[in-house]
Amino acid sequence: MNPLRISELAKKGGVGVETVRFYQRKGLLDAPQGSATAGRHYGADDVRRLRYIRKAQTAGFTLSEIAELIDLDRADDRPRARDMARARIAALDEKIAELTEARAALAKLAKDCAKGGAGPCPILAAFD
Amino acid sequence: MNPLRISELAKKGGVGVETVRFYQRKGLLDAPQGSATAGRHYGADDVRRLRYIRKAQTAGFTLSEIAELIDLDRADDRPRARDMARARIAALDEKIAELTEARAALAKLAKDCAKGGAGPCPILAAFD
DNA sequence: CTTGACTCCGTACTATGGTACGGAACCTAT
DNA sequence: ATAGGTTCCGTACCATAGTACGGAGTCAAG
């Protein structure tokens, strides 16, 4: 397949060139293959990898967890991958519960404030 | 009221001394009142303010939004407070939806992986 | 009156995820 | 062959929310 320039790879991944380079520095993407500069050093693997990173990120994995997942992928270590997924799901559940609670509290405050009785605004007073 | 040392204020707020000083630098808490050093410069107002900050944080407000809320409190600007609460609720809703989606996707992958058929682990392959 | 605890203050460092800059090399078209 | 565009690379910078450190001053107890 026709090799890509870094700017083309970035575009296909929906990120900026600097972000691609940042991922390379983090070891998430391979460094340019051709020895020299200004060439077309990237292929379909790199595009796939970049998209993998972005999708894993939306699942809430941090970049260093993603680095681990990539290693797991190489080693085909399914039990460890399941562990990570379970841990991530638990963290997600916790975060969701936390945000849901905050949302409910805030919604109640906003409603009370809108009702507009006298006295201080409940939103402002609530945190007192 | 008996004035507090910074370490006592920090303890009452459930944070470290350095965090109190960080909030002071950000203008979220007032700087020590007594001119000199090593004194008991803080009072009940500071404790209340510190707890306000921590509670607002759990509602998802950033420190600079909290700085704004504190100003609003001083100005008793209820409409603006309602606006901020609404915006925060919307952001919370968006975040919750996003995490819920990620959770569902990940849970499905984990289940498929546990079912353990042949082929590559779905968790590892999914982001491909 | 010295020691230890505590304070204030500035500065620097951490982690996370990027974003930007400047120099040198290199490829392509004119 | 020279200009323009692009690359590589290192380094520095951004926001967010802290955390840590070293120096100097002060206060109370021994």
Side-chain angles (χ1 to χ4, degrees):
Chain A
M1 14 222 91
N2 44 358
L4 302 163
R5 285 176 300 164
I6 194 173
S7 54
E8 294 164 334
L9 170 59
K11 194 167 226 173
K12 279 183 189 292
V15 301
V17 169
E18 295 302 328
T19 300
V20 170
R21 287 192 38 63
F22 174 71
Y23 291 163
Q24 290 174 343
R25 285 192 286 259
K26 288 265 149 179
L28 296 169
L29 286 173
D30 293 326
Q33 278 310 306
S35 58
T37 126
R40 305 176 147 261
H41 308 299
Y42 309 95
D45 281 359
D46 297 293
V47 177
R48 238 178 290 114
R49 180 75 75 75
L50 182 50
R51 292 194 174 146
Y52 182 113
I53 294 166
R54 309 269 10 173
K55 284 190 209 162
Q57 253 183 329
T58 71
F61 289 103
T62 65
L63 293 185
S64 54
E65 286 170 333
I66 294 169
E68 205 179 333
L69 283 173
I70 288 168
D71 287 347
L72 259 32
D73 207 355
R74 278 197 269 264
D76 199 33
D77 185 346
R78 300 174 61 147
R80 180 88 191 90
R82 272 201 303 278
D83 282 355
M84 287 187 69
R86 270 199 296 267
R88 191 90 287 278
I89 290 168
L92 246 20
D93 282 343
E94 206 179 316
K95 192 81 195 160
I96 290 166
E98 196 183 302
L99 295 186
T100 301
E101 225 176 294
R103 197 237 179 255
L106 206 50
K108 186 186 177 312
L109 290 175
K111 212 184 73 186
D112 291 355
C113 181
K115 265 199 327 230
C121 170
I123 296 168
L124 299 172
F127 300 128
D128 249 326
Chain B
M1 23 220 87
N2 44 358
L4 302 163
R5 285 175 301 163
I6 194 172
S7 55
E8 295 165 332
L9 170 59
K11 194 166 225 173
K12 279 183 190 290
V15 300
V17 169
E18 295 302 328
T19 301
V20 170
R21 287 192 39 63
F22 175 70
Y23 290 163
Q24 289 174 342
R25 284 193 286 258
K26 288 264 149 180
L28 296 169
L29 285 173
D30 293 327
Q33 278 310 309
S35 59
T37 128
R40 306 176 146 260
H41 307 299
Y42 309 96
D45 280 0
D46 297 293
V47 176
R48 237 179 290 118
R49 179 74 74 75
L50 182 49
R51 292 194 173 147
Y52 182 113
I53 294 166
R54 306 255 62 177
K55 285 190 210 162
Q57 255 184 327
T58 71
F61 289 102
T62 65
L63 293 186
S64 53
E65 286 170 332
I66 294 169
E68 205 179 332
L69 283 174
I70 289 169
D71 287 346
L72 259 32
D73 207 354
R74 277 198 269 263
D76 199 33
D77 186 345
R78 301 173 62 149
R80 180 91 192 87
R82 272 202 303 277
D83 282 354
M84 287 186 70
R86 269 199 296 266
R88 191 90 285 281
I89 290 168
L92 247 19
D93 282 343
E94 205 179 317
K95 192 82 194 160
I96 290 167
E98 196 183 303
L99 295 186
T100 300
E101 225 176 293
R103 196 234 180 258
L106 206 48
K108 185 184 178 313
L109 290 175
K111 212 185 72 187
D112 292 354
C113 181
K115 266 200 326 233
C121 170
I123 295 168
L124 298 172
F127 300 127
D128 247 327

